[in-house]
Amino acid sequence: MTRIYPQFVVAKFGGTSVADFDSMNRSAGIVLADDQVRLVVLSASAGVTNLLVELSEGLESRDRMDKIDTLRTIQYNIISRLKAPLVIGKEIDQLLENIARLAEMALATPSTALSDELVSHGELMSSLLFAEVLRERKAQAEWFDARKVIRTNNFYGCAEPNISLVKDQAEAHLQPRIEQAIVITQGFIGSDDAGHTTTLGRGGSDYTASLLGEALQAARVDIWTDVAGIYTTDPRIVAQARRIDHLSFSEASDMAAFGAKVLHPATLLPAMRKNIPVFVGSSKNTAAGGTLVRRETEDPPLYRAIAVRRKQTLLRLHSQHAQPAYTFFAEMFAILAEHQVDMDLVTSSESCIALALNSTGSTSGEDHTLTTALLTALSSHCRVEIETGLALITLIGNQLHRGAGVCRDTFMDLDEHAVRMIFHGASNDNLCFLLPSDVADGAVIALHRRLFE
Ligand code: ADP
Ligand code: ASP
Ligand code: MG
């Protein structure tokens, strides 16, 4: 098929960009200002997913009603500003009824599958309302259920997409539509082979946008959020953080993987595979510009950014028998693999393996990493030590292994802190360390001052 829009752009709007009618209207203006934007991916309105997650944890009647009332107020504050609110009001009422029914079930029979079904309603509602806002501005907008295309496995709460199936489905269902209309769909949600709703983990709408960009070979993916780009660190922690105008895929991917919330950890993977530039900007201030992430940047600096990942657990496994390290390591990693432990950072001595476990990301909000089954299996082979309440701070840069003085620069201001673990050497481009969570912000501020200000 010949494409009418060969240079088409996917635009994703985060929660604050669709928080209320004025935000939606402003975001609709961004869509209409660029006629290459043919596919719009939306988050739930700000605060809605958190409310739905709480409901999915099984609340008693009074609390449940309160949360549902808050949800209704958020939706009706938008509906009441529409010129023709009646039809859309009925559709939203239907979804609010579903939410009430599912929230009651969550108290009686909670499950991660039910939780994903319930939580998906945030994106369903915001996308219906946004399509209506666009139509009232005379745009030809079509609502589309992303679950038809974002096909995943059944790891509820943090499902993984099947890339080739997503491509086939997108070509079959989305490609013809974007030639005819501006298609409005949901981020974050998908479906498994049994047709059950799944979610891609907290912040997953960014990932949906890049997955769809990859599937349809978009010319660019635009991520519209509440900050004017990607900064040297979270500007909420360090007011002096500076916007980075250009980033390489690998730099931005490391930032996202190591906790820079501005992008879901997996967002850059589809973009890298198909070399699709990703722009990040503020929907509240388009004139402020933003960050363009692309394959390469000119003169990549030694130090690029600092990221923080909270809720980290340090797991230490001590060998109790006189056995060669290779046997002990093989046994431990076999158990960790069997229990599908998500680990990205490991250090060791001859009789101990230490791992940093990440328990952020899943929609259900629970920590499923250290299950009883895993701990039982490990304890029968070794002595297990667990330390919680840690934060992982990552310095992201380029060729850090060649830079003399990198360790001095990094740890110089952290004298008074107990650094619990250091990871350096496996990657040339990042250096990570674990600290108690309560001192993480102070450490980021000090490190940022030394390296970036
Ligand atoms: P959205 O709802 O639009 O997806 P998020 O809250 O998920 O927005 O992400 C935007 C937030 O990411 C910012 O408000 C900021 O606090 C945080 N953030 C963390 N690290 C960075 C960084 N390096 N650059 C910019 N923002 C960052
Ligand atoms: N609404 C989901 C969340 O709050 C997904 C997203 O916003 O990207 O995590
Ligand atoms: Mg986000």
Side-chain angles (χ1 to χ4, degrees):
M1 178 170 31
T2 321
R3 284 171 156 203
I4 305 171
Y5 294 95
Q7 291 298 308
F8 100 94
V9 170
V10 181
K12 176 260 171 178
F13 293 89
T16 47
S17 305
V18 292
D20 48 35
F21 181 83
D22 291 324
S23 307
M24 280 200 180
N25 209 24
R26 204 179 300 117
S27 298
I30 294 175
V31 172
L32 296 176
D34 180 352
D35 63 5
Q36 301 296 340
V37 175
R38 304 298 295 169
L39 181 57
V40 177
V41 174
L42 297 178
S43 290
S45 302
V48 166
T49 305
N50 287 349
L51 287 163
L52 292 168
V53 167
E54 288 181 66
L55 286 168
S56 76
E57 283 159 3
L59 299 179
E60 296 293 341
S61 172
R62 183 76 250 140
D63 275 356
R64 212 162 60 223
M65 297 308 159
D66 286 350
K67 306 276 178 222
I68 294 171
D69 280 348
T70 313
L71 284 172
R72 184 174 294 108
T73 306
I74 297 173
Q75 309 310 314
Y76 267 86
N77 282 343
I78 302 171
I79 294 173
S80 63
R81 302 274 305 275
L82 292 169
K83 290 178 201 132
L86 272 183
V87 177
I88 190 82
K90 285 216 175 75
E91 288 185 68
I92 299 291
D93 283 344
Q94 180 64 54
L95 292 173
L96 287 165
E97 272 171 38
N98 285 352
I99 291 172
R101 183 177 48 80
L102 293 166
E104 204 177 332
M105 283 166 65
L107 182 63
T109 47
S111 75
T112 49
L114 176 68
S115 166
D116 275 3
E117 175 68 29
L118 177 49
V119 170
S120 71
H121 281 68
E123 271 70 11
L124 293 174
M125 294 191 290
S126 64
S127 55
L128 279 167
L129 292 168
F130 193 82
E132 201 57 31
V133 169
L134 273 176
R135 281 190 210 108
E136 292 201 349
R137 292 180 66 163
K138 307 277 177 272
Q140 195 163 357
E142 182 180 339
W143 183 86
F144 182 81
D145 190 334
R147 291 172 294 188
K148 275 199 193 117
V149 168
I150 302 294
R151 301 292 302 277
T152 71
N153 63 12
N154 62 359
F155 293 1
Y156 301 110
C158 209
E160 284 159 23
N162 176 332
I163 305 299
S164 70
L165 204 49
V166 169
K167 183 175 171 54
D168 293 347
Q169 296 293 101
E171 280 175 354
H173 299 291
L174 274 176
Q175 183 65 50
R177 287 182 162 87
I178 63 173
E179 303 288 354
Q180 309 295 329
I182 303 172
V183 176
I184 313 303
T185 196
Q186 309 79 40
F188 180 53
I189 71 175
S191 67
D192 63 13
D193 289 346
H196 297 138
T197 300
T198 57
T199 61
L200 303 176
R202 291 308 301 266
S205 299
D206 304 321
Y207 192 22
T208 305
S210 64
L211 283 168
L212 295 178
E214 173 183 41
L216 297 174
Q217 270 295 339
R220 200 178 67 238
V221 173
D222 290 346
I223 305 284
W224 294 104
T225 178
D226 59 357
V227 272
I230 303 179
Y231 285 60
T232 44
T233 194
D234 187 342
R236 284 184 213 243
I237 303 176
V238 180
Q240 293 80 2
R242 278 183 286 111
R243 205 256 308 291
I244 310 166
D245 291 342
H246 295 103
L247 271 174
S248 68
F249 284 138
S250 67
E251 290 169 326
S253 181
D254 267 8
M255 288 181 74
F258 287 112
K261 189 183 167 231
V262 63
L263 292 176
H264 177 279
T267 312
L268 273 318
L269 304 180
M272 274 166 155
R273 286 193 290 261
K274 288 286 159 62
N275 194 17
I276 302 170
V278 174
F279 172 82
V280 180
S282 164
S283 67
K284 302 228 157 27
N285 186 5
T286 52
T291 298
L292 189 66
V293 185
R294 53 190 181 185
R295 186 166 274 167
E296 270 153 24
T297 56
E298 280 162 27
D299 302 325
L302 180 63
Y303 299 133
R304 183 56 104 180
I306 303 166
V308 195
R309 207 163 74 184
R310 293 171 209 275
K311 289 214 242 162
Q312 305 298 295
T313 300
L314 174 55
L315 177 68
R316 292 204 296 160
L317 311 173
H318 300 270
S319 171
Q320 284 179 300
H321 313 289
Q323 59 180 334
Y326 51 78
T327 318
F328 175 59
F329 285 19
E331 271 177 16
M332 293 300 106
F333 283 107
I335 297 173
L336 295 165
E338 195 185 320
H339 292 263
Q340 300 181 330
V341 175
D342 182 17
M343 53 183 160
D344 51 5
L345 298 164
V346 181
T347 66
S348 68
S349 69
E350 70 288 358
S351 61
C352 175
I353 304 172
L355 308 112
L357 303 180
N358 180 17
S359 49
T360 56
S362 172
T363 305
S364 74
E366 278 170 42
D367 180 3
H368 297 291
T369 336
L370 288 176
T371 58
T372 315
L374 169 67
L375 292 177
T376 311
L378 289 171
S379 304
S380 66
H381 288 79
C382 68
R383 184 165 62 80
V384 179
E385 260 187 290
I386 298 167
E387 201 176 321
T388 55
L390 298 170
L392 182 81
I393 299 182
T394 302
L395 170 62
I396 291 128
N398 292 282
Q399 306 283 307
L400 291 176
H401 63 306
R402 299 225 175 108
V406 168
C407 287
R408 183 202 54 215
D409 287 353
T410 309
F411 295 109
M412 203 162 168
D413 297 313
L414 301 181
D415 269 357
E416 74 270 33
H417 299 309
V419 175
R420 297 295 300 110
M421 189 131 75
I422 299 172
F423 307 90
H424 186 33
S427 161
N428 292 338
D429 300 325
N430 61 58
L431 185 166
C432 318
F433 52 96
L434 283 175
L435 277 181
S437 255
D438 53 348
V439 297
D441 282 5
V444 172
I445 292 167
L447 194 53
H448 192 273
R449 192 181 309 122
R450 176 159 303 278
L451 303 184
F452 297 100
E453 291 168 35

